[in-house]
Amino acid sequence: MAANFEKMIGKYRKASCDPNVYGPWSAIMENALDRFKRISDARSAAHAAPGHKVGIGFTEDVAFNAFAGTNEDGDIIAICLNVPIALALLFNRALMFRAVMPWLDEFDDSHVDPTPLTADDLRFPLSRPLPHPTGKFGNLRTSLSILMMNIALDFIFLHELGHLWNGHTSLVRARFGLGVLTEIEDDKKLPLSAIDRQTLEMDADCFAARIMATFSFPEKDWLPPNPGWEKEFGEGSTYLIIRIVAIYLAMRCFDEVPSLENMENRSYPPVALRQTFFMGTCFAALNKDTGRDLIELSGGAGY
């Protein structure tokens, strides 16, 4: 079943967008889209009926981060075009601070840490000039910022893929006649309880974490390993920890005061709770697939 993204997204009254028209951001969006399609097609080939496809693309609608949907035409995942751009700015600016990844040792004594980005700088980067970088920013940190952006973006995509493959969108379509789960408080008509909605979100997080924990992640010749991490957690730990840190920082974009109050009225679990479940799922997957002990992976601290 071929999936036509433009046709499908129109049924949700959302606008698709062409990644080619966004200047320097186009390459980021096009590369991400190609990667998402490869990941989705590979899973469909392994687990679905022949010819199954998911319509995947970007949307100009900035009222949400992403959504997954199922209708009579098939499955769809739409990601707001601001998401990859905001993540690119987040990691670019984060790696301009001397205290972030200090073993890279790329800053000299003349370096001045920049002013942190505001929430609006991250949320609407298309409508304003880019924040001016402060201090030296070499090729190593530039490459690492792109790598971490792609890792975080993959997690967002795989979360949406989890809504499809774990049957969430099919469930709400079959039970309520609705076929979409949006990553915002936009779905006021979805007749699920807050706890049920939170459960679906946690389930999608764990789906993404399970896949990402054991992704093939070849070492990068340009990225020196962190000696402390490699000694404490074992060979290859640098690349695993960078993967986890990238997703952790992306989640911090949605940060809030940790609290379990008002749980009966919210559609999403607290961010701190999502981070805990993500880490637990990662460690469990690594333990199962690689044989690494959970105590070793968590540094002996437990949960």
Side-chain angles (χ1 to χ4, degrees):
M1 176 176 56
N4 185 318
F5 178 78
E6 289 77 16
K7 175 184 176 183
M8 293 177 71
I9 197 172
K11 292 192 174 183
Y12 296 102
R13 295 189 295 277
K14 310 293 184 184
S16 64
C17 71
D18 180 1
N20 290 304
V21 301
Y22 291 98
W25 302 115
S26 292
I28 290 175
M29 297 169 67
E30 289 174 341
N31 290 338
L33 192 57
D34 288 342
R35 190 168 64 254
F36 296 160
K37 289 178 178 178
R38 289 197 304 270
I39 294 170
S40 179
D41 288 350
R43 188 166 186 86
S44 291
H47 299 283
H52 175 265
K53 297 285 185 181
V54 178
I56 304 169
F58 288 100
T59 173
E60 295 178 346
D61 193 327
V62 296
F64 59 91
N65 295 318
F67 78 76
T70 297
N71 63 28
E72 63 275 8
D73 294 322
D75 298 323
I76 182 174
I77 293 174
I79 299 175
C80 170
L81 62 91
N82 267 7
V83 169
I85 299 170
L87 289 173
L89 290 176
L90 169 68
F91 290 109
N92 182 274
R93 182 51 64 97
L95 285 167
M96 289 183 185
F97 288 83
R98 184 192 293 269
V100 177
M101 309 292 182
W103 88 91
L104 298 178
D105 195 26
E106 200 175 37
F107 293 134
D108 59 30
D109 291 338
S110 65
H111 173 76
V112 177
D113 282 350
T115 303
L117 290 174
T118 67
D120 281 347
D121 283 329
L122 286 174
R123 192 173 296 116
F124 301 112
L126 282 178
S127 62
R128 61 188 66 194
L130 298 182
H132 180 69
T134 301
K136 179 183 177 183
F137 199 46
N139 292 331
L140 180 56
R141 286 178 179 258
T142 299
S143 297
L144 183 55
S145 72
I146 294 172
L147 174 64
M148 295 178 77
M149 177 270 296
N150 283 321
I151 291 169
L153 193 54
D154 285 354
F155 177 77
I156 291 171
F157 167 72
L158 287 167
H159 173 100
E160 299 305 323
L161 199 65
H163 279 313
L164 298 179
W165 280 97
N166 285 359
H168 303 168
T169 55
S170 296
L171 170 69
V172 297
R173 181 171 185 250
R175 184 171 297 179
F176 307 115
L178 301 170
V180 61
L181 289 170
T182 53
E183 298 307 308
I184 50 164
E185 303 295 328
D186 183 53
D187 238 340
K188 301 301 183 184
K189 296 181 180 180
L190 186 62
L192 286 174
S193 71
I195 298 301
D196 286 340
R197 180 64 181 268
Q198 291 171 47
T199 300
L200 297 185
E201 295 303 322
M202 295 292 287
D203 193 42
D205 278 352
C206 292
F207 175 93
R210 173 66 182 81
I211 292 178
M212 295 202 72
T214 51
F215 254 175
S216 175
F217 196 74
E219 295 187 0
K220 309 297 181 183
D221 293 338
W222 49 265
L223 180 60
N226 182 314
W229 291 350
E230 298 287 311
K231 180 179 179 180
E232 183 172 359
F233 300 109
E235 184 178 355
S237 295
T238 298
Y239 307 97
L240 171 62
I241 292 172
I242 283 176
R243 196 182 315 180
I244 293 172
V245 169
I247 297 169
Y248 172 81
L249 286 178
M251 285 187 175
R252 286 297 299 270
C253 291
F254 310 103
D255 205 4
E256 58 191 16
V257 176
S259 172
L260 296 179
E261 294 182 1
N262 199 36
M263 292 290 286
E264 68 277 9
N265 295 316
R266 59 187 298 162
S267 295
Y268 293 87
V271 171
L273 188 61
R274 296 179 71 171
Q275 290 169 335
T276 300
F277 271 76
F278 165 77
M279 293 295 294
T281 303
C282 278
F283 290 163
L286 286 163
N287 175 250
K288 179 180 178 181
D289 290 3
T290 69
R292 299 182 70 177
D293 188 82
L294 290 178
I295 297 299
E296 173 194 0
L297 290 165
S298 60
Y303 294 100

